[in-house]
Amino acid sequence: MAYQDAPNLFDQIIVSKNLVSDQVSKEYSIYKTEIYAPAYLVNKEGNYKGYPFRSWNGDQFTGGYSDHFPAFVVLQKEP
């Protein structure tokens, strides 16, 4: 996400109580966190080139997906 052409990362990843339980937190750890931004989610032209392909621009439907890229976590199982 960018605000006034300055990159900004303020999205959150929310996890369920079960994921942070003592049992699970001993078995898994965070391997990495990433932003999912394949080409079809990115504006390819115009003033917003490189920004997320939004669903709405003001009151006009643009046919896009969101004004944010999805964030995700990859967990790894401890040996």
Side-chain angles (χ1 to χ4, degrees):
M1 180 72 196
Y3 176 70
Q4 295 181 344
D5 293 327
N8 201 342
L9 185 60
F10 57 86
D11 287 328
Q12 301 177 40
I13 297 173
I14 300 172
V15 298
S16 71
K17 182 178 177 181
N18 290 336
L19 187 60
V20 293
S21 72
D22 287 341
Q23 175 73 27
V24 174
S25 63
K26 290 178 185 173
E27 291 182 44
Y28 292 91
S29 64
I30 296 173
Y31 174 67
K32 63 181 175 178
T33 57
E34 291 195 11
I35 303 300
Y36 184 68
Y40 71 91
L41 292 180
V42 181
N43 261 322
K44 293 169 185 49
E45 56 191 35
N47 291 339
Y48 298 107
K49 182 177 181 177
Y51 284 73
F53 182 30
R54 311 171 71 117
S55 304
W56 294 89
N57 185 9
D59 61 352
Q60 279 196 326
F61 182 69
T62 63
Y65 299 95
S66 177
D67 61 342
H68 293 255
F69 295 120
F72 68 94
V73 154
V74 178
L75 301 175
Q76 67 181 9
K77 189 166 182 154
E78 296 298 331

